[in-house]
């Protein structure tokens, strides 16, 4: 974007997010400089959103801005890290100022809420694509990893998985809903809430943790593979929202909760000795015990193995969940 690139950056990408004392040079220099606490561990995550693949074409620009940061906040939450600095890559078909204003407002609001400063980025022309690289901090040795789950651990999930996928289905006309259920499910897809406070609270409690972005069962398989264990889910323990139950029949509810993407909840394992503490933990979201870590490899729901290709997960280069995206 030759002529107006500088102006676009000045108008839409400068002074975005929180003001942080540790940012020594931000947008405007060739690189960003941040001061790091001595001995701290840095955590990095990067997620890219491509229009049509990660959000529907024509999706409100505010929601795109929110989502671009939220998906990265969710990755840092899953690591038990405190988010701090973001780099923002924006590729746009044209310098659509109306779109940019919405996008930048959506991102700015969420960044401020989490104390994240946007310290730099890149702006180019092309098919609509947004990348955020987010860095954060965790005290040494305290990061939550996918590995570390132990046989006998309880398996926990936050929130009500499946809602976001139902919200997307409503947007795309694959599911019909009215009133409060419709609004609630749409909001869960449009404005996902990363569980940052929960991730911090789980330091020293969770043995392994992952964020649920590609479907609970598929992400659980990843946690199990990393930990060299298996897991059993009890379907009657799955925390289904009132909204999801009111729009989907029982079988479909389970498919949404286990296979739907975009939840951005945390899935983690913890020693049964932590039950009381976890049940009363106040990190802004309800936690539910849904099963246990087992020695036998693989993920089972009520004893039945989850089929690899049954739509429980989303892979850009392999099969896609039936009817989604
Ligand atoms: P350079 O040519 O040195 O890469 P740019 O013109 O790409 O510089 O960027 C100028 C400044 O604006 C840099 O500090 C860069 O980090 C920042 N910047 C560019 N695009 C964005 C963006 N989308 N969001 C935040 N900062 C950006
Ligand atoms: Mg550049």
């Amino acid at each position: 974007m030759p002529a107006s690139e500088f102006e676009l950056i000045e108008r839409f990408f400068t002074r975005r997010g929180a003001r942080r004392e540790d940012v020594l040079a931000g947008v405007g220099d060739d690189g960003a400089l941040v001061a790091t606490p001595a001995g701290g561990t840095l955590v990095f995550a990067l997620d890219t959103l491509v229009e049509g693949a990660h959000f529907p074409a024509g999706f409100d620009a505010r929601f795109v801005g929110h989502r671009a940061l939220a998906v990265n906040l969710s990755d840092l939450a899953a690591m038990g890290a405190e988010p701090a600095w973001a780099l923002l890559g924006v590729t746009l078909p044209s310098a659509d100022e109306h779109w940019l204003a919405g996008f930048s407002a959506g991102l700015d609001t969420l960044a401020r809420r989490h104390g994240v400063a946007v310290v730099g980025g890149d702006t180019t022309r092309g098919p609509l694509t947004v990348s955020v690289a987010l860095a954060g901090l965790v005290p040494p040795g305290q990061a939550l990893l996918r590995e570390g789950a132990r046989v006998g651990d309880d398996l926990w999930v936050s929130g009500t998985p499946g809602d976001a996928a139902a919200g997307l289905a409503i947007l795309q006309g694959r599911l019909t809903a009215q009133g409060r259920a419709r609004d609630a499910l749409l909001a869960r897809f449009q404005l996902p809430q990363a569980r940052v406070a929960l991730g911090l609270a789980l330091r020293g409690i969770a043995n392994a943790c992952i964020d649920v972005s590609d479907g609970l069962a598929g992400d659980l398989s990843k946690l199990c593979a990393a930990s060299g264990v298996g897991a059993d889910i009890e379907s009657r323990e799955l925390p289904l929202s009132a909204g999801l139950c009111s729009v989907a029949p029982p079988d479909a509810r389970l498919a949404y909760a286990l296979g739907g993407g975009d939840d951005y909840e945390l899935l983690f394992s913890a020693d049964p000795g932590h039950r009381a503490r976890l049940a009363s933990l106040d990190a802004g979201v309800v936690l539910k015990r849904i099963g246990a870590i087992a020695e036998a490899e693989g993920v089972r729901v009520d004893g039945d193995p989850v089929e690899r290709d049954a739509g429980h997960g989303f892979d850009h280069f392999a099969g896609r969940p039936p009817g989604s995206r």
Side-chain angles (χ1 to χ4, degrees):
M1 301 185 175
S4 58
E5 185 186 325
F6 174 81
E7 203 183 296
L8 289 183
I9 294 169
E10 172 57 30
R11 280 187 57 195
F12 299 111
F13 301 127
T14 305
R15 293 174 300 277
R16 288 298 178 272
R19 213 186 249 269
R20 292 180 63 99
E21 300 276 309
D22 53 13
V23 177
L24 310 179
V27 173
D29 216 310
D30 291 317
L33 282 181
V34 301
T36 52
T41 300
L42 287 170
V43 184
F44 295 90
L46 182 147
D47 261 317
T48 299
L49 304 183
V50 179
E51 184 182 42
H54 304 95
F55 59 90
F59 202 40
D60 189 304
R62 269 178 192 268
F63 299 150
V64 179
H66 176 99
R67 172 171 296 261
L69 183 60
V71 297
N72 283 282
L73 286 169
S74 180
D75 281 326
L76 259 65
M79 300 299 290
E82 193 187 319
W85 313 286
L87 293 168
L88 173 61
V90 180
T91 301
L92 286 168
S94 69
D96 179 341
E97 296 186 10
H98 178 72
W99 192 91
L100 278 163
F103 171 82
S104 134
L107 188 126
D108 182 57
T109 302
L110 187 61
R112 282 174 200 266
R113 194 182 303 156
H114 287 281
V116 169
V118 175
V119 296
D122 199 22
T123 309
T124 53
R125 192 191 292 270
L128 184 57
T129 304
V130 180
S131 269
V132 169
L134 182 63
L137 292 157
V138 66
Q142 291 193 36
L144 308 176
L145 302 175
R146 292 180 181 187
E147 66 179 56
R150 295 184 204 138
V151 175
D153 275 0
D154 290 331
L155 183 65
W156 295 79
V157 72
S158 64
T160 51
D163 291 354
L168 176 61
I170 292 168
L171 265 187
Q172 295 178 333
R174 290 182 281 111
L175 200 60
T176 42
Q178 275 106 38
R180 270 170 55 189
R182 179 187 162 87
D183 294 345
L185 295 171
L186 280 179
R188 294 269 288 151
F189 179 74
Q190 291 164 336
L191 294 168
Q193 301 301 312
R195 304 306 182 186
V196 176
L198 175 60
L200 298 180
L202 290 178
R203 288 177 187 166
I205 297 179
N207 285 334
C209 184
I210 189 169
D211 71 317
V212 180
S213 54
D214 298 335
L216 198 161
D219 288 322
L220 177 56
S221 300
K222 294 178 195 167
L223 181 148
C224 286
S227 295
V229 297
D232 288 286
I233 294 177
E234 291 175 52
S235 66
R236 67 172 186 281
E237 301 299 337
L238 286 168
L240 305 178
S241 73
L244 182 61
C245 291
S246 76
V247 301
D251 275 5
R253 281 171 213 169
L254 271 192
Y256 278 112
L258 292 168
D262 300 313
D263 288 315
Y264 303 107
E265 296 296 346
L266 294 185
L267 175 68
F268 59 96
S269 90
D271 190 276
H274 289 304
R275 267 179 209 176
R277 206 168 151 191
L278 284 167
S280 64
L281 192 80
D282 183 13
V285 63
V286 172
L287 303 180
K288 184 78 171 67
R289 188 158 53 89
I290 59 167
I293 298 296
E295 198 171 338
E297 266 182 37
V299 170
R300 291 159 297 277
V301 177
D302 303 332
D304 296 329
V306 171
E307 302 288 330
R308 245 194 73 102
D309 61 349
H312 302 297
F314 179 72
D315 180 337
H316 289 267
F317 300 103
R320 293 176 176 218
S324 92
R325 300 186 234 212

